[in-house]
Amino acid sequence: MNVNFLQRLVVLFIVIITAYTSNAAEIWVSPEGNDLNAGTKNEPFATVNRALRKAREMRRLSQSDIEGGIKIILKDGTYYLPEPVFIRPEDSGSEISTTSIESEPFAKPVLSGGIEIAGWKPSKSINGLKPGIIWEIDVPKKVGSVLNFRQFWVNGKKAIRAKNTRGSEMQRILSWNKNTESCWIPIDSEKFNFEPGMELFIQQWWAIANLRIKEVEVHQDSAKVSFENPESRIQNEHPWPAPWISEKTGNSPFFLNNALSFLDEPGEWYFDNSKSKIYYYPRAGEDLKSKAVIPFLENLVSITGTVDNPVHHIGFKNISFEYSNWLRPSLKGHVPLQAGMYLLDAYKLQTPGTPDKAGLENQAWIGRPRAAVEVNYANNTVFEACSFQHLSSTGLDYHKGTKNNTIKGNLFKDIGGSGINIGVFSDEAFETHLPYNPKDTREISSGNKITDNLITDVTNEDWGTVGISAGYVKDILIAHNEISDVSYSGISLGWGWTKSENAMRGNRVLANKIHHYGKHLYDVAGVYTLSAQPETSIEENVIYDIYKNPYAHDPYHWFYLYTDEGSSHITVKDNWVPAQKFLQNTNGPGNIWENNNAFVNDIIKQKAGIRAPYKNLLKEVVIDEQWPLKEIPQFAAVEIIGTSLDISKIKEAAQSRGFIDPKVYKWKNHVVIHGKLNYIEKFKNDLSDLFPKAELKTYQHPIYDYKKNERCSDTKMASEWDHILLTANLVEDAQLQKEYIDYHTSQFEEWPEVAEGFCNGDFQQLQIFKNGNQLMLTISIPKDAAFEKLNPLTLKNNSRMEAWNSIMSKYQTGIKGTKKSEVWVFLDPIE
């Protein structure tokens, strides 16, 4: 064995032993312990609550051995919680004598809110499947009644609640009638059979809804569906987000679930409450010895102080929190407004306008989903190197009155809701569009730090939840986290949809790495903001790889950065994104956008994301390789040749197809729209419908592509560009056209002086597109620079550039309508 390795191992061992032989008092807990024991290493307690009681007494009696703090040390194993761990103000430590709940060295203790069940047996024939294909297992009773639950795990993998569609497929509603509180859906009348407890899961804009079905009225190949209350009333009265009805992009997608008749695919399960049985269709490789867990507790740990007496100086380290329940959708339905905050009441105003917002048309009051770990009125608490996994709703929730807390180096994985919620999102009695600005500022969540966490495969039940969701927060730092495989946005910062002064200010979102997001919902971004937040900055984040959403209400309404309603006084700077696909929707004043593009300093890309010593978390990153990614928008152009062309309609069509920064140019009866987009043929079809008599040409996939950062010694790119568009024809000679393309294919190697000329002229990019014989040349220069001054610099002291231009002249000629000596036509920009 290597000597240096042995030396390092000895040092590591000394450090670990030293950490556990400090002057902190120790209280030990073990799954094999007993709460009647003394709480020593040899006689450990069985529960964390009992250990907390002993620590509480040690502090009450001011015992001398706690001057260095108290360590509640958990031995390896799973602690099945009969009730939540409850931490109260009397459990607080101090700055010099903290309380820490942590693992024994090399152990991985788990606080579980689940119940492990055993005793699988083959079932009889179900849904026409051979006997034995489906397994069944009895569900135990708890406190006199059968356990209820909405999630179920086999061998640590979440099973799928039986539904009427295959895999990730969804159907689309036929219509929705708010007056009758019903919708029409397509069905297979020969196979469909309504079962009590059946639910409809619907995707609508930026949220989903879980609706318990009350009644189904079958009419041949369709059915009228009505729902239970309160969700039926809320779903049909609230204006946003509503079911989507669109001939262009398709109506809202849905599936039905929670019926035995839907159990027909590996990985699916159904719970028959009347028989206290789970029926499960096993995945490949599973056998009757498979470990199954059902969630029992909705909340595993509650840290709860008061505004005058907060919990403080207590923390968790290297503890796993696993298997939580969340039953509200089964009891009252679930109709979220945004970020998983569900509506308690909502309706549209007959006469729009409130004192805070003249045009406001909707009113809404929201509730907050449960979390595995909930924190209220707590200061200087820490969660470090912990794991939050297999949870039905939110992972970790710092709600009200939380200050100077630290969340660092944790794993959040396989979570039905948001990984982390923090701050107030409007109280239940507080209309959600009003600015939250409490008189008692101790209520405000402030000074908290969320750093170096991995949040992956979260939001997998409520698709409208978020990786990290922050409401009304002040001086928060969200930095160096990595977020992947989320259904909606990566980080959401702010609440309220208002420019008015509120509790938020001084927030920082710094150097996070966000990728593989937007899996199921659009109106989405890597980083999303709401409302006024003075002195707030979003800087040096790296955002890329958004999923291609197969059922988006608007397939083009996705963004890397998105400042939404009321966002004000926010600096968005030096963020790396593949394209400048941003949205600034009805923003307030004072926002600054600088240098957000694919050309920011490489150091920013290298430094973003999780830092040492937590990089080992990266082995847990989830990316759904089966799910396609959205293509990065590329520069392209469409030319419309005709008369009476309505420019405003062209711009409107471009906006609806997700054009990034579309610019319109004109020469005689030629109109060209240029910008970044995908799916150019769909845009061309839109224009064809608008102008059926016009000739249309598309220009994409350049035959020549010069980029300054790839070809010049000075690789710094301008953050904003202007584009010069020119067009010409190639001569009608196939051999000469081939020579022209060959020259440009080999130009960087054979004629490097040409690229040097473009570098001298500070051209940011130069692309040549070809459609038939026609060329479209786009020259991108720094914004507000003068092309007349830059272009001559390309020839300065560059005889090879002059020779190149001379050679090219024999291949080029003017388009129809040019003068005899005219070759390249400059297209004039239209504002």
Side-chain angles (χ1 to χ4, degrees), residues 608-623:
I610 297 171
R611 302 165 294 186
Y614 307 109
K615 283 184 175 290
N616 63 305
L617 288 170
L618 296 178
K619 68 179 183 294
E620 299 286 349
V621 171
V622 173
I623 295 173

Side-chain angles (χ1 to χ4, degrees), residues 49 52 84-88 91 299-305 311 316 370-376:
N49 277 335
L52 283 166
V85 173
F86 180 44
I87 297 174
R88 64 203 81 189
D91 297 320
N299 171 236
L300 313 186
V301 175
S302 175
I303 302 176
T304 305
V311 176
F316 287 82
R370 297 303 306 269
V373 177
E374 297 175 346
V375 185
N376 279 278

Side-chain angles (χ1 to χ4, degrees), residues 409-553:
N410 303 287
L411 171 66
F412 296 83
K413 185 177 180 181
D414 183 19
I415 296 175
S418 295
I420 301 170
N421 278 344
I422 188 164
V424 168
F425 286 82
S426 303
D427 291 324
E428 292 189 0
F430 192 84
E431 204 284 315
T432 196
H433 300 92
L434 294 173
Y436 173 75
N437 212 6
K439 290 181 180 179
D440 191 338
T441 58
R442 292 176 298 173
E443 291 185 13
I444 300 169
S445 176
S446 64
N448 298 299
K449 297 179 181 179
I450 303 173
T451 61
D452 298 290
N453 302 283
L454 174 62
I455 298 110
T456 188
D457 182 24
V458 300
T459 75
N460 58 32
E461 287 277 336
D462 183 343
W463 295 347
T465 49
V466 180
I468 300 174
S469 189
Y472 287 100
V473 293
K474 178 182 176 183
D475 297 325
I476 196 172
L477 175 65
I478 302 174
H480 289 283
N481 303 284
E482 181 158 345
I483 301 172
S484 76
D485 203 61
V486 291
S487 300
Y488 184 46
S489 293
I491 296 173
S492 177
L493 178 65
W495 197 250
W497 295 269
T498 175
K499 304 171 189 176
S500 301
E501 180 182 347
N502 60 68
M504 293 184 290
R505 65 171 50 247
N507 299 314
R508 290 186 295 154
V509 178
L510 173 69
N512 299 283
K513 183 181 286 189
I514 303 164
H515 56 98
H516 295 84
Y517 65 100
K519 191 172 187 177
H520 294 293
L521 302 175
Y522 278 178
D523 194 33
V524 65
V527 179
Y528 168 94
T529 69
L530 276 171
S531 298
Q533 304 187 41
E535 302 167 23
T536 289
S537 62
I538 299 167
E539 299 186 23
E540 300 185 6
N541 300 284
V542 172
I543 305 169
Y544 60 98
D545 283 355
I546 181 169
Y547 283 119
K548 188 173 183 178
N549 185 332
Y551 298 105
H553 72 287

Side-chain angles (χ1 to χ4, degrees), residues 9 14 38 60 221 392 448 452 461 465 543 558 598 612 637 676 692:
L9 191 62
I14 291 171
R60 184 179 68 84
D221 60 351
S392 296
N448 298 299
D452 298 290
E461 287 277 336
T465 49
I543 305 169
W558 61 271
K676 285 188 174 182

Side-chain angles (χ1 to χ4, degrees), residues 162-176 183-193 198-204 208-209 213 216 220-223 225 243-246 249-257 261-262 264 268 463 520 549-553:
K163 56 189 180 65
N164 70 321
T165 58
R166 308 287 291 181
S168 60
E169 293 178 1
M170 301 182 77
Q171 295 178 286
R172 294 189 183 274
I173 63 171
L174 300 174
S175 63
W176 196 284
C183 74
W184 284 88
I185 62 171
I187 62 164
D188 184 341
S189 58
E190 293 184 2
K191 295 182 179 179
F192 180 81
N193 179 42
M198 190 181 289
E199 296 180 9
L200 182 140
F201 177 100
I202 185 170
Q203 176 181 323
Q204 40 197 22
I208 57 91
I213 297 176
V216 178
Q220 296 180 341
D221 60 351
S222 62
V225 183
W244 181 255
I245 305 295
S246 170
T249 60
N251 296 345
S252 275
F254 79 96
F255 56 74
L256 304 175
N257 66 6
S261 59
F262 298 154
D264 60 0
E268 288 189 334
W463 295 347
H520 294 293
N549 185 332
Y551 298 105
H553 72 287

